[in-house]
C-alpha cells in the first residue's frame, strides 16, 4: 500500500510538472503564428521581442509579384502587442516587360487580446493597423476569434480596410475581408492545416468588385527561438486581375 501511494504521488507530481511545462511553453510561444493570412488571438509576453520576415509570391495571368515585409514585434503587456512594419516592398515581373522594384509602405499594428483561447471558452482580440508610403495610405481593423480543441485550433478574422492610393491619395478603396484557418498540432514541432480568404473591394465605398475566394494548405514548424509558417492559396472564384495562386512564408526569431 505504501509503495502504491508513493507511485500515485509520483505520477501526480510528474503530471503537474508536465502541465506547468506545457503552460509555460504556450505562454513563451504565444506569438508564434500557425497561420500567414489569419491572426491568432494570443500576444507576446510583456517585454519580449520578435523579428518576423514575410515573403509572398503572387501569380497573376500576366505577371509574377514578390512582396517582402520586415516586422519587429514587442510585448507591451501580456495582452497588448505592438508591431512595427519597418519596410514593405515588392518586385513585379510582367510577362512582356522588365521587372520593377518598388518601396511601398511602412507602418505599425496594435493587437489587444481580450480573452485567451487556452483559458477561456473563446479567444478574442482587436487589431488595428496603419500603413503609409509615397502612393498608399491605409487603415485597417480586425476582429480576431479563436477556438482551441486541444491540439486543434480554429481561427476567424473579420477585416475592414480603407485605402487611399495614387500620388495624392486620390483613389479611395474600401475592402471587406474574411479569413479562416484550421491547424492541427501533430507533434511538438509540426502543425498542419488549411486557410481560406474571402475578399471584396469597393471603389469609393460604393461599387463592389468581384468576390475573391482562395483556399489552400498550411504548414508550420518551430524549434527553440525560431518558427516558420507557409501557406499556399489557390483562387477558386475566377475573378480577373486577382492572383490565381499565391504562397506566403513567415519566419520569426524570438530574442
Amino acid at each position: 500500500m505504501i509503495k502504491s501511494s508513493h507511485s500515485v504521488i509520483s505520477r501526480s507530481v510528474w503530471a503537474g510538472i508536465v502541465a506547468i511545462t506545457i503552460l509555460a511553453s504556450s505562454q513563451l510561444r504565444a506569438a508564434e503564428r500557425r497561420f500567414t493570412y489569419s491572426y491568432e488571438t494570443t500576444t507576446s509576453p510583456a517585454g519580449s521581442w520578435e523579428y518576423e520576415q514575410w515573403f509572398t509570391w503572387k501569380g497573376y495571368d500576366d505577371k509574377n509579384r514578390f512582396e517582402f515585409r520586415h516586422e519587429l514585434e514587442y510585448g507591451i503587456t501580456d495582452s497588448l502587442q505592438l508591431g512595427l512594419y519597418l519596410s514593405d516592398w515588392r518586385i513585379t515581373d510582367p510577362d512582356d516587360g522588365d521587372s520593377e522594384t518598388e518601396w511601398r509602405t511602412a507602418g505599425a499594428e496594435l493587437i489587444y487580446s481580450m480573452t485567451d483561447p487556452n483559458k477561456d471558452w473563446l479567444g478574442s482580440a482587436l487589431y488595428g493597423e496603419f500603413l503609409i508610403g509615397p502612393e498608399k495610405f491605409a487603415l485597417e481593423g480586425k476582429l480576431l476569434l479563436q477556438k482551441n480543441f486541444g491540439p486543434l485550433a480554429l481561427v476567424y478574422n473579420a477585416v475592414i480596410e480603407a485605402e487611399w492610393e495614387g500620388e495624392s491619395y486620390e483613389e479611395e478603396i474600401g475592402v471587406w475581408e474574411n479569413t479562416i484557418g484550421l491547424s492541427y498540432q501533430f507533434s511538438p514541432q509540426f502543425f498542419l492545416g488549411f486557410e481560406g480568404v474571402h475578399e471584396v473591394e469597393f471603389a469609393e465605398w460604393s461599387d463592389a468588385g468581384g468576390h475573391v475566394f482562395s483556399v489552400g494548405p498550411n504548414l508550420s514548424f518551430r524549434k527553440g527561438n525560431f518558427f516558420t509558417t507557409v501557406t499556399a492559396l489557390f483562387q477558386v472564384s475566377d475573378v480577373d486581375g486577382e492572383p490565381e495562386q499565391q504562397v506566403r512564408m513567415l519566419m520569426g526569431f524570438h530574442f
Side-chain angles (χ1 to χ4, degrees), residues 20-222:
I20 293 171
T21 302
I22 292 173
L23 178 59
S25 176
S26 67
Q27 291 174 337
L28 289 173
R29 300 184 175 190
E32 293 183 351
R33 295 177 55 183
R34 295 190 183 194
F35 308 98
T36 64
Y37 291 88
S38 295
Y39 280 84
E40 292 151 276
T41 61
T42 50
T43 51
S44 298
S48 65
W49 291 88
E50 177 181 304
Y51 175 77
E52 283 189 3
Q53 177 63 58
W54 297 45
F55 167 75
T56 306
W57 166 76
K58 296 180 178 179
Y60 297 81
D61 287 335
D62 58 348
K63 62 179 177 288
N64 289 291
R65 177 165 285 161
F66 307 91
E67 299 177 347
F68 303 86
R69 169 174 286 178
H70 314 281
E71 181 180 359
L72 188 63
E73 295 181 352
Y74 177 70
I76 300 175
T77 70
D78 286 340
S79 58
L80 183 63
Q81 175 181 304
L82 171 66
L84 299 176
Y85 300 151
L86 306 178
S87 182
D88 289 357
W89 56 285
R90 70 187 186 188
I91 301 172
T92 303
D93 187 15
D95 293 341
D96 57 355
D98 296 330
S99 63
E100 179 184 14
T101 301
E102 306 170 83
W103 181 78
R104 295 286 288 164
T105 59
E109 69 177 33
L110 277 174
I111 303 176
Y112 175 64
S113 178
M114 297 182 290
T115 54
D116 189 331
N118 298 310
K119 302 175 183 178
D120 303 303
W121 181 81
L122 181 70
S124 60
L126 296 176
Y127 173 106
E129 172 189 296
F130 82 90
L131 296 171
I132 188 167
E135 297 186 9
K136 181 177 180 179
F137 176 70
L139 297 173
E140 183 175 276
K142 299 182 182 182
L143 171 64
L144 315 180
L145 300 175
Q146 180 175 347
K147 179 65 176 177
N148 288 353
F149 303 90
L152 183 68
L154 174 64
V155 301
Y156 167 75
N157 294 179
V159 185
I160 188 166
E161 182 180 6
E163 297 181 0
W164 293 265
E165 298 186 353
E167 293 183 357
S168 302
Y169 303 145
E170 68 277 4
E171 182 182 355
E172 185 175 356
I173 302 171
V175 181
W176 170 249
E177 185 177 292
N178 299 275
T179 74
I180 189 171
L182 185 69
S183 175
Y184 182 80
Q185 182 178 7
F186 62 91
S187 79
Q189 295 179 333
F190 288 95
F191 302 73
L192 182 65
F194 84 95
E195 291 192 68
V197 177
H198 161 249
E199 180 181 281
V200 58
E201 293 186 355
F202 299 85
E204 303 295 333
W205 288 101
S206 58
D207 299 326
H211 289 257
V212 184
F213 293 90
S214 300
V215 296
N218 165 283
L219 178 65
S220 186
F221 168 81
R222 57 217 56 216

